[in-house]
Structure formats: C-alpha cells, structure tokens
Amino acid sequence: MVYVMIKELSPSADEVIIVTSSLMKDMTSKTDMYRANAIRVLCRITDGTLLTQIERYLKQAIVDKNPVVASAALVSGIHLLQTNPEIVKRWSNEVQEAVQSRAALVQFHALALLHQVRQNDRLAVNKLVSSLTRGSVRSPIAQCLLIRYTSQVIRESANNTQTGDRPFYDFLEGCLRHKAEMVIFEAARAITELNGVTSRELTPAITVLQLFLSSFKPVLRFAAVRTLNKVAMTHPMAVTNCNIDMESLISDQNRSIATLAITTLLKTGNESSVDRLMKQITNFMSDIADEFKIVVVEAIRSLCLKFPLKHRSLMNFLSNILREEGGFEYKKAIVDSIVILIRDIPEAKETGLLHLCEFIEDCEFTYLSTQILHFLGIEGPKTSDPSKYIRYIYNRMHLENATVWAGAVSTLAKFGAMVDGLKPHVFVLLRRCLFDTDEVRDRATLYLNTLGGDGAVVETGADVKEFLFGSLDIPLMNLENSLKNYEPSEKPFDISSVPKEVKIQPLAEKKAPGKKPTGLGAPPPSPSSTVDAYEKLLSSIPEFANFGKLFKSSPPVELTEAETEYAVNVVKHIFDGHVVFQYNCTNTIPEQLLENVIVIVDASEAEEFAEVASKPLRSLPYDSPGQTFVAFQKPDGVPAVGKFSNMLRFIVKEVDPSTGVAEDDGVEDEYQLEDLEVVAADYMLKVGVSNFRNAWESMGADFERVDEYGLGPRDSLAEAVNAVVDLLGMQPCEGTEVVSPNSRSHTCLLSGVYIGNVKVLVRLQFGLDGPKDVAMKLAVRSEDETVSDAIHEIVASG
Amino acid sequence: MELCPLIKNILLLDSEGNRVAVKYYSDDWPTNSAKEAFEKTVFTKTQKTSARNEAEITMFDNYVVVYKFVQDLHFFVTGGENENEIILASVLQGFFDAVGLILRGTVDKREVLENLDLIFLCLDEIVDGGIVLETDANVIAGKVASHSMDDGASLSEQTITQALATARERLTRSLLA
C-alpha cells in the first residue's frame, strides 16, 4: 500500500533519499512482492543518476524466475524508455532472454519492450517478427501485439506487393483460427487494414467477423460491426454476404451497434434492398439520439446519390423525418441532404422543392427558412411551373419574423425577374408589400423600380439581374470598412475600390443592395490584410502614387539562403504599366549598421522593362526589417516576362554592441542576391469561384480555345498537375487540385483574373498515357480571345 | 509509435454516477474537472442500458468504453478509438472478477468502501501506466492478498491493523458524506 502512495506522490529522487535507499534495500529482499513493487516505484521516481546505480538489480530482475518481478521490471523499462532510452537499450540481451520465457505475460512485456527499443531498426523488427511467428507465443495478448507488429512490417515492406503474396499473410490467416477471441479479432482487423488488400485476402477475415456478428456478447458484435463498417467504405462487395446478419442487428439493444449496422447496410445495399431497408429504418429512427440520426442521414444521402432511381422513396423518407421532432443540427443535415439531392438528381427537383416548401410552413429555425427561401429563388424559376411556389413564399411574408420576410421578398422578386410570365402577378404582390414593415417595404420598392413596375412584360435586362441577384463576392468585412472610410463627397462610392480578396466582379456604380442570406454556397474566406497594407504602402510613396491601381502582389520570394548575414526577400507588385519590386531586408549582424541600402537590378535579360525609379532605404539596423523599392516601366497591358539579377549595395558601419553607437565612417560594400523572374503567372490573380459549372456556362464559348499537349514523362500525375497549376498561377476550384492516388486520369478546374480585369476559366484534363507520360487537354474560356490565346502560349512555352 | 494496447482509465462509479474508485492512465483529462465531466458523460450515456449479464460496449468522443454493472456499482474501462475492444473487455473482466474474489462474493458499494485500499491495490496490479500487467483474476487477487497479509503478521499488529482499518472506514465515510 505504501508503494501505491509513493507512486502517487512521485517526488523527485533527490528529495527523498531515505525512501529511495529503503526501496533499494527492498529490491533485494526475499519477498517477491516487495521486490516487484519496489522496482515499479523506484522506476517511477528515479532520474538518470540513480538509475545507473540500480541498473544492475533491474537487469537481474528481468531474468528473475518469478514472473511478477520480471514483468514489473519490464514494464518499468517500457516507461523509462521515454526518459532514459540509452540505459534501457543496454538491457537488450536480458530482454531477449525474457522473450523466450515460459511465463505468458513476461513474454508479452518483453516483446513490447524489445519492439520499442528496436522500432527504428526495420531489419531487427523483421527478424524479431519472423522468429516469433514461427515459435510459440503463449499469451493471447502477446499474440495480439505480435499481429500488430506484423502488420507494421507488412506495411513497411509494401514495395514487394507485386511479387505475389505478402510476407506473413499466412501467419495472419493462421491466427484467425486461434482459440482466443481477441487474437481472432485482431488478426481479422489487421487483414482488413492492409494496404490495397484484395477481396481474396479479405474473405477469410470477413467470414470470421460474420460469425462474431451473431455472438451473444455485445462487445464482439460491436467490434465486428465497426470493422465491417470500415471495410464497407472501400470494398462494399466483400461485405454483402453479411447483410442478412446485419439486418437482424438493426433491432439490437445496444444503440451504437444498431446505428453502425444501419450505416454499413446503407453503404453495401443494392437497389432491391433499398425499399426494405427504408421500412426498417423508419421504425428505428425514433429510438436513437440526434448525433446517430445525423450519421444515418448522411449515409442515406450517399445511398441516394449512388442509386438515383430510388430518389422518390428516399426523398419521402427524408421529408418524413424532417417533419418529426429534432434539433437544429439534425434538421440542417436533412435540409442539406435534400438540397444536394435536388442539385444532383434532376428528376428529384420538383418533389424535393415541394417537400422543402411544406417544411418551411412549419419550421422553427429562422436560419433554415431563409436558406430554403434563397434556394427556392435559385431553383424555382427553372422548374416547369414556378407559380406553384409563389403561394408558399408569399405566406412566409406574413408569418414568422423579419429575417424570413426579407428573404421571402427577395425570393419573390427573383421569380419575377427570371420568369417573365409571372411578372405582373409578382408586381401585384410586391405592391401589397409597400405598406408593410421596413425591411419588406424598402426591398419591395427597390425591386419594383428596377424590374419595371409599370406592368409591362418586358425581358429583364441581364445587368439588372446581375445587380439584384448576382452574388456579392466582396467579403462583407471589406465592404464595411470601405463604407466606414468613405467620406460623402461629389464622387459616388465606387464599389470596385473595395479590396477584393475573393473575386473581382465590378458591380454597377451604385451602393450595393443590403444583406442577402449567403445561401447554400460556401461563404467567402476572411480577407487577409496584406493587400490592403501593400496598397497603402505603395500609395504613400510619391514616386509610385501615379502608377494606378495595384493589380497583384506576389507572395514574398526569398533572394538569399537561410542563415546568411542579410536576409532579403522580394515582393513583386504588378500594375497596369509598371512593376515595382519591394525588397524586404533584414540585417542579422548585431555589429553592423547598414545605410543607404539600395538594390542594383540588372535588367539586361528583360528587354521590355525600363527602370524608372528607386527608393533607397535610409538605415537598416540590426534585426529590424526595412524596405527598399525599385520600379520598372513596362508596356501597358502586356504580360511581359523577364529575368532580373540583383545586387544589394550599401554602406556598412561598425557598431559597438555594448553601446549601440555606430562609427562615423563606413565602407561601401556589395552583396550578391539571387536572380528574380517575372513570369506569366504573376499577371494572373488567383481568384476562386464557388460553383465552377455555373461560371463556365455563363462565360459562354465565344472565346473558348481548346488544345491538347503532351507533357512528356513525369514523376507522377499529381506532380504534373501541380506543375501546370503553378505555371498558370490560377486558383484551383472545388478541391480539384488534389489528385487521388493510383488514378490514371484527373480533371482540374482553375479560375483566375488576368491583367486587364479579364475573368478566365480553365478546365484541364490529364491522362496517364503509358507508365509515365502525361497528356493534357486544355480548355480555356475567357471574356477576351487574346487572353485565351495567351493562356495557351504560357502552357506551350512552359 | 504506440502499438502496445493502452488503457486510458478504469472507473468505478456508484449508481448515481459519483466516484468510488478511479484511476487515470492518460493525459487526455488534465484537470480534475475534466475528469469529472468525463465520468458524468459516461454515466449518463450508459444509464439506460443494462449491462448485468454481459459486458456492454459503447463509443463516443473517440473513446471506446466497455462496462458492466453489478448491484449498485458501475465498472468502466476506457480505451482509444482504435483499441482492440476485446482486450478492453478482458481487462474489465479481470478487474470485475478480482474484486469479487477480494470481497469474498459480496460486491456492493458498502463493501467496496470498507475495503477501498484493497480495491486500489487491485487497480494498481492490473494496469501500470496504461500497459496491461495482468488480466487473470486469480493472479490479481492473489497479489492483493499477499500485500494485505503482510500487514497483519503478528497478533499485536493485527489489532493495530484493525484500528487502522476502522479509522480508514470512518475517514472514507466522512469524505463521502
């Protein structure tokens, strides 16, 4: 008992010398229990010096005949490995002996310790595993440990997978027939987690797991269902045999098991079983907690996307559960699922929209109502009979609260704008709103005026539509700041002067319309302040003030290696007719003070550029970064490229580090920097679009250019994709820059804005032609055909 | 890389969710309030189920919890989400049976409180710093018995032990009151 207490208190060794010395005496006492516990306690409170003293005893203890003592020493060794690894490594011989011990758990602990000691030496681990798989391992828990090490070895020798069977696979399969359940399960799990496992290898593991499914012990059922769930994500076909057992698990007492069974069935179900599943799930949903319900909803969504023909029953199911009780997260998940289904399965649109309409009649969450109204506004006008939805929308205007009213008015107006036949009716409704509360009245007035409220059925101009309903791509924070800074003057507020991180889409020169719900698209990312800062910095320098608007600033490029005396990086600022290089310099030498720092730029390899101005840095003391600028003129609007070599020139003065005072005269010195390139990608702003397909369609194919290129042998498909994306300098959309491993083809969607404010969209299709050769098809759409040609030029020459 | 099976904690709660004996082997719950919050969560999640005949299992928050109930006590063993659940179950079974052997069959809250020191010894012998030391209930009970037997070797010492035992009992009662 005393031992337990000492362990809890765990003082440091120098405080309790008496304790430690009595413990050391205990370590050699005759009673085994004392010895074992003394070892454990000592190892907990010891430090390096004390450890060397008792090392001898510990080594003896490891090979002691009494298993309790041996285990104690070994386990303490495992813990000590964290703090004093070198000492523990010296015990390898004794530990090796212990591995051969007859006592079951001693073998387990010895194996664990030995593996920890040798885990960085792959060959040693390999040898250890091979010797033990052939030998006998006595305790089931040691066997589990061995299985885990074996899978690690298999994973690391993954290069040999082409040559037939993996090493040690037979051992794993043999373990499937062991007596102890924990070994069987561990082996089955290890097989399912092997890299790139084939169905043939999986079959014995799955058979075993299937037996567990019908065990009477909940632990086994749970373990089996969880593993099968993971397998179903990658090999649904292999798991279909177990479907029948899993269906009986749906009514299991333990709710976690039931939920896991349902989600697995949803992943592996085929079309015929979907109806049956739906019936069973309906009864089940009322029992389980919200977080499980969300899991089920998401599984249903993926199922529906897999079997689009079944959308009717699945959609009915979703709308039924939408009507029942539930929390906000849960209902949001259902609404999101319905929306995704409507977007991806055209046949389901009408039913889906109707379900959503019925839902908002009764919805208690304002956020969801506004989201759905906005979505209705986008999708409703495109359906065959939009007038159906007007009733639902109009009802919203008189019930609920202000946010919903605002959303409803906007949606109504959208219907009016998009569908000409409905315009007169919409106007009647909007006019009725003019007598309503603030939010509704103001919006109604705006819409009536812009849509031509005189009742004429006229095609609404495209730019009006854009103005009213185009997405507000400027981050709201920026807009707010600009509005705050705007002082009322003759010049109207220019919305295109608001710094835009996300998109450059100059709206009409009016004050932007008020808040719209951001709808179901991704919200724009929060703006970084660097662009703002650069603009302010550059406009404060009189020489650069008349260069016009800053188009793009590149991220800093290092011109010196790490740990040099002077660290310099450069930021390239691109204007319409000029380029400014901002050199950020840092002096890392405490004994020096630099003055009159300028950069001499040799532009002999960049014919189109002519140096116009440079701004030297007055003083650069130790450890405080400063900037110096050099400006070049280039032909207007032309994306000129060139290479510039740079040399840092300055006057260096010695500084007395103790006083911090510099000497009076200094020496002129130069410091060579690396070269700097201005490439085509610098003229391209990375601007993402949230819905590429829409943007592509709306851009139109007038200035589309398509061409094919062979990129030659490449390291991998991913490398080729990255290279082209970097070359073009455009923003990948919708996560298409990620290439899935082992794929033979990939489509990448890029968007950007070219100098001259021209929007460009690029669709790249890559294919692996043969083992290493990559072929690429490039389709460019933009608002200007010279730009499309220019993009192709970049790729052709890059 | 931790391939060794690790136990995160072993909990023994009463029928209202209050602590009887707990031992944590992981840093996932650095403060006492975090530990108590965890115990409360575990208790509420498993309250409605019945785990009297077979060990039950549940999962939440990236932890797997195996548990068993007897009389007015709840036993829990927690592991990480990728842990072999059957190893956890064997640890639970070992602990459960060892407690039964130590308390000579009557496993309820009163008995446990009276022999709290033995229970802690038992916990200490099963898992050391997260690594499983022993799962065989007989061996565990044997180790605990040999500990406590040394405390009362001679007659006079036994009286002292008894006095100590009564004092301990009063102390624990007052702590719980």
Side-chain angles (χ1 to χ4, degrees):
Chain A
M1 197 60 198
V2 180
Y3 296 122
V4 177
M5 246 213 0
I6 301 181
K7 254 195 289 197
E8 279 301 312
L9 295 176
S10 32
S12 69
D14 44 352
E15 286 173 5
V16 280
I17 305 187
I18 303 180
V19 176
T20 46
S21 54
S22 55
L23 281 174
M24 280 168 73
K25 214 166 62 137
D26 274 344
M27 270 207 314
T28 50
S29 90
K30 287 199 215 64
T31 326
D32 294 330
M33 280 309 302
Y34 286 168
R35 270 218 305 251
N37 278 303
I39 292 177
R40 280 165 61 189
V41 179
L42 259 184
C43 294
R44 196 58 69 84
I45 65 178
T46 191
D47 64 357
T49 52
L50 187 58
L51 193 51
T52 40
Q53 291 172 358
I54 59 176
E55 200 186 333
R56 191 161 57 92
Y57 298 115
L58 286 175
K59 279 202 200 174
Q60 277 177 342
I62 294 181
V63 288
D64 192 291
K65 283 193 236 50
N66 187 324
V68 177
V69 177
S71 286
L74 289 165
V75 172
S76 314
I78 299 181
H79 290 304
L80 281 174
L81 205 53
Q82 317 294 331
T83 45
N84 307 69
E86 328 76 36
I87 299 188
V88 180
K89 286 193 178 132
R90 294 207 285 257
W91 306 344
S92 327
N93 283 334
E94 282 81 11
V95 181
Q96 187 77 30
E97 227 187 285
V99 170
Q100 315 295 337
S101 141
R102 303 195 58 81
L105 282 165
V106 177
Q107 196 178 36
F108 165 61
H109 295 129
L111 180 57
L113 181 55
L114 204 54
H115 180 262
Q116 288 260 27
V117 166
R118 295 199 180 153
Q119 65 184 5
N120 298 322
D121 183 352
R122 206 202 288 189
L123 199 53
V125 173
N126 218 322
K127 248 187 355 185
L128 178 64
V129 168
S130 359
S131 64
L132 279 173
T133 51
R134 269 176 263 130
S136 68
V137 179
R138 260 158 256 210
S139 68
I141 199 169
Q143 188 90 338
C144 287
L145 202 54
L146 189 57
I147 292 177
R148 288 190 192 183
Y149 297 153
T150 316
S151 0
Q152 186 190 26
V153 166
I154 294 183
R155 218 176 309 141
E156 285 173 359
S157 64
N159 320 329
N160 303 340
T161 40
Q162 270 104 358
T163 63
D165 255 349
R166 304 157 199 277
F168 302 122
Y169 174 71
D170 301 318
F171 166 66
L172 287 178
E173 214 203 321
C175 285
L176 287 175
R177 296 185 273 274
H178 198 273
K179 270 187 297 173
E181 289 158 339
M182 64 165 85
V183 177
I184 303 178
F185 174 67
E186 187 75 42
R189 196 166 67 154
I191 293 184
T192 56
E193 286 172 1
L194 288 175
N195 253 341
V197 65
T198 66
S199 333
R200 190 174 54 90
E201 291 169 341
L202 271 180
T203 342
I206 302 222
T207 332
V208 151
L209 289 172
Q210 194 174 353
L211 287 169
F212 277 176
L213 281 177
S214 34
S215 143
F216 63 90
K217 286 199 224 177
V219 179
L220 291 176
R221 296 201 297 261
F222 180 84
V225 164
R226 198 153 73 113
T227 319
L228 284 172
N229 198 348
K230 270 196 228 135
V231 174
M233 281 193 244
T234 47
H235 294 89
M237 299 318 299
V239 185
T240 33
N241 300 337
C242 310
N243 278 1
I244 314 204
D245 296 294
M246 277 201 273
E247 281 179 24
S248 57
L249 279 183
I250 300 184
S251 44
D252 192 296
Q253 283 255 0
N254 185 322
R255 266 18 215 132
S256 322
I257 297 184
T259 320
L260 281 169
I262 291 252
T263 44
T264 320
L265 280 171
L266 286 171
K267 286 190 199 111
T268 65
N270 48 19
E271 286 207 51
S272 45
S273 60
V274 169
D275 295 317
R276 209 178 50 212
L277 264 181
M278 284 297 123
K279 252 190 270 180
Q280 283 168 323
I281 298 184
T282 335
N283 303 337
F284 162 86
M285 286 296 262
S286 40
D287 284 339
I288 54 178
D290 259 12
E291 53 214 23
F292 289 147
K293 284 191 198 164
I294 297 185
V295 172
V296 176
V297 166
E298 291 180 2
I300 293 184
R301 182 203 319 170
S302 11
L303 186 69
C304 197
L305 289 174
K306 223 169 41 163
F307 300 121
L309 296 171
K310 287 283 169 186
H311 68 263
R312 201 170 295 279
S313 57
L314 290 171
M315 193 74 92
N316 279 342
F317 174 76
L318 282 175
S319 66
N320 283 340
I321 52 177
L322 195 53
R323 264 179 243 165
E324 290 167 16
E325 294 278 320
F328 174 63
E329 286 301 327
Y330 170 54
K331 298 245 166 130
K332 184 165 180 309
I334 304 180
V335 169
D336 286 340
S337 304
I338 297 185
V339 164
I340 293 182
L341 291 181
I342 292 181
R343 264 215 310 254
D344 292 336
I345 306 179
E347 304 88 26
K349 209 195 300 213
E350 306 262 334
T351 33
L353 287 176
L354 272 172
H355 285 308
L356 285 175
C357 285
E358 283 167 22
F359 171 58
I360 50 176
E361 309 243 303
D362 214 0
C363 173
E364 66 248 27
F365 301 112
T366 326
Y367 178 75
L368 289 178
S369 299
T370 43
Q371 266 202 333
I372 295 181
L373 281 171
H374 180 89
F375 182 66
L376 264 180
I378 303 179
E379 295 286 337
K382 298 192 211 148
T383 63
S384 51
D385 183 16
S387 51
K388 272 194 291 202
Y389 307 110
I390 303 255
R391 178 172 68 84
Y392 293 105
I393 305 175
Y394 188 59
N395 281 346
R396 291 301 99 218
M397 286 214 275
H398 299 291
L399 309 165
E400 317 269 357
N401 56 31
T403 332
V404 180
W405 296 334
V409 172
S410 309
T411 316
L412 255 189
K414 224 180 265 187
F415 268 76
M418 304 287 176
V419 183
D420 300 323
L422 285 176
K423 254 209 234 203
H425 309 292
V426 170
F427 288 151
V428 169
L429 292 175
L430 281 177
R431 259 185 234 120
R432 262 191 239 157
C433 301
L434 289 177
F435 304 106
D436 230 329
T437 48
D438 272 352
E439 299 89 0
V440 178
R441 188 185 54 211
D442 290 345
R443 286 197 169 81
T445 324
L446 173 66
Y447 293 133
L448 273 174
N449 285 333
T450 48
L451 294 178
D454 52 359
V457 184
V458 157
E459 168 88 10
T460 322
D463 47 347
V464 178
K465 274 193 207 165
E466 181 72 17
F467 163 64
L468 285 177
F469 307 121
S471 47
L472 188 63
D473 296 309
I474 305 171
L476 286 176
M477 273 307 297
N478 283 359
L479 184 60
E480 221 180 289
N481 287 337
S482 309
L483 280 171
K484 278 194 209 143
N485 297 336
Y486 169 69
E487 278 147 54
S489 70
E490 290 298 317
K491 189 158 136 319
F493 180 69
D494 181 2
I495 195 137
S496 51
S497 72
V498 177
K500 307 151 194 73
E501 291 303 328
V502 185
K503 235 187 183 182
I504 297 189
Q505 203 176 49
L507 297 179
E509 306 261 320
K510 292 186 196 178
K511 277 226 173 104
K515 299 162 202 45
K516 282 200 185 62
T518 42
L520 303 150
S526 51
S528 62
S529 56
T530 24
V531 170
D532 240 346
Y534 285 148
E535 273 204 66
K536 281 211 191 67
L537 183 62
L538 291 170
S539 46
S540 66
I541 303 174
E543 292 94 332
F544 308 147
N546 55 358
F547 283 171
K549 224 189 86 42
L550 175 65
F551 176 68
K552 175 179 171 178
S553 305
S554 75
V557 176
E558 294 290 335
L559 292 181
T560 53
E561 296 179 18
E563 318 240 345
T564 46
E565 300 101 353
Y566 314 112
V568 178
N569 63 43
V570 70
V571 177
K572 300 177 258 189
H573 300 289
I574 315 278
F575 293 87
D576 255 353
H578 297 85
V579 170
V580 176
F581 296 133
Q582 171 186 336
Y583 296 89
N584 300 319
C585 316
T586 317
N587 171 16
T588 62
I589 304 181
E591 298 91 22
Q592 285 189 358
L593 167 67
L594 305 185
E595 288 194 350
N596 278 346
V597 182
I598 56 171
V599 179
I600 310 290
V601 185
D602 180 0
S604 48
E605 292 195 23
E607 295 100 14
E608 299 173 81
F609 290 87
E611 181 165 343
V612 256
S614 78
K615 188 162 162 36
L617 179 56
R618 276 255 84 84
S619 144
L620 186 63
Y622 166 64
D623 214 23
S624 89
Q627 290 94 23
T628 167
F629 301 83
V630 179
F632 282 84
Q633 187 178 35
K634 74 170 187 41
D636 241 351
V638 170
V641 297
K643 202 159 159 185
F644 302 83
S645 51
N646 307 289
M647 176 114 70
L648 193 70
R649 185 177 292 166
F650 45 84
I651 300 181
V652 55
K653 295 191 173 167
E654 295 285 332
V655 170
D656 188 355
S658 45
T659 61
V661 172
E663 291 182 17
D664 281 337
D665 37 273
V667 179
E668 216 186 81
D669 201 358
E670 290 182 347
Y671 188 75
Q672 182 71 36
L673 302 171
E674 288 180 10
D675 289 343
L676 162 63
E677 269 193 48
V678 173
V679 293
D682 286 332
Y683 293 102
M684 177 76 73
L685 255 183
K686 274 189 180 196
V687 173
V689 279
S690 49
N691 192 331
F692 190 83
R693 215 190 305 174
N694 278 348
W696 187 261
E697 303 300 327
S698 58
M699 182 82 79
D702 304 326
F703 304 119
E704 171 164 352
R705 290 274 176 282
V706 184
D707 215 343
E708 298 203 4
Y709 300 89
L711 296 181
R714 292 276 167 174
D715 284 337
S716 70
L717 196 53
E719 186 262 327
V721 172
N722 285 338
V724 178
V725 172
D726 283 339
L727 182 63
L728 288 175
M730 296 169 77
Q731 173 77 24
C733 304
E734 297 176 5
T736 49
E737 74 270 21
V738 178
V739 181
S740 37
N742 297 334
S743 64
R744 303 216 32 103
S745 70
H746 184 70
T747 307
C748 190
L749 307 168
L750 302 174
S751 89
V753 174
Y754 203 64
I755 190 160
N757 263 348
V758 178
K759 271 203 296 196
V760 185
L761 294 173
V762 168
R763 185 182 270 166
L764 294 166
Q765 276 155 315
F766 293 87
L768 262 182
D769 219 3
K772 291 279 186 188
D773 284 324
V774 179
M776 178 180 84
K777 181 164 154 197
L778 168 68
V780 179
R781 278 196 188 177
S782 77
E783 293 163 0
D784 185 347
E785 69 180 303
T786 44
V787 175
S788 313
D789 286 332
I791 304 283
H792 276 272
E793 278 292 313
I794 299 176
V795 177
S797 55
Chain B
M1 198 173 29
E2 271 313 325
L3 288 181
C4 196
L6 283 180
I7 311 286
K8 292 208 177 229
N9 64 46
I10 301 187
L11 306 174
L12 187 50
L13 306 178
D14 71 357
S15 45
E16 279 135 37
N18 304 320
R19 270 190 198 183
V20 176
V22 303
K23 197 89 170 67
Y24 284 83
Y25 305 106
S26 139
D27 297 326
D28 290 355
W29 303 275
T31 61
N32 203 27
S33 45
K35 293 182 177 144
E36 292 186 344
F38 177 73
E39 287 160 28
K40 200 149 164 283
T41 330
V42 161
F43 185 73
T44 39
K45 283 215 191 288
T46 57
Q47 213 172 7
K48 302 202 188 75
T49 59
S50 156
R52 296 201 178 252
N53 299 329
E54 287 295 334
E56 281 281 347
I57 184 168
T58 181
M59 189 169 142
F60 62 90
D61 263 3
N62 299 339
Y63 299 120
V64 175
V65 181
V66 185
Y67 55 97
K68 203 160 180 190
F69 300 163
V70 74
Q71 299 273 25
D72 49 358
L73 288 171
H74 297 228
F75 292 74
F76 300 92
V77 174
T78 314
E81 59 174 345
N82 277 326
E83 201 51 72
N84 185 332
E85 295 91 342
I86 311 183
I87 295 185
L88 296 175
S90 67
V91 167
L92 176 70
Q93 197 62 32
F95 179 46
F96 186 76
D97 292 338
V99 167
L101 285 174
I102 295 172
L103 300 179
R104 289 177 228 289
T106 43
V107 184
D108 64 2
K109 182 166 152 185
R110 211 188 109 87
E111 279 294 320
V112 165
L113 286 175
E114 287 189 5
N115 297 292
L116 204 57
D117 56 337
L118 295 176
I119 303 294
F120 270 111
L121 274 176
C122 182
L123 276 173
D124 186 57
E125 293 296 337
I126 296 184
V127 175
D128 181 295
I131 303 183
V132 176
L133 266 186
E134 187 59 67
T135 54
D136 187 348
N138 292 321
V139 177
I140 301 174
K143 285 203 263 183
V144 174
S146 62
H147 263 298
S148 49
M149 222 166 44
D150 296 324
D151 289 345
S154 74
L155 208 62
S156 55
E157 283 186 64
Q158 257 180 359
T159 333
I160 300 182
T161 327
Q162 268 179 349
L164 278 176
T166 341
R168 227 174 306 171
E169 193 193 61
R170 293 248 178 79
L171 188 60
T172 45
R173 283 239 186 83
S174 66
L175 277 176
L176 286 171

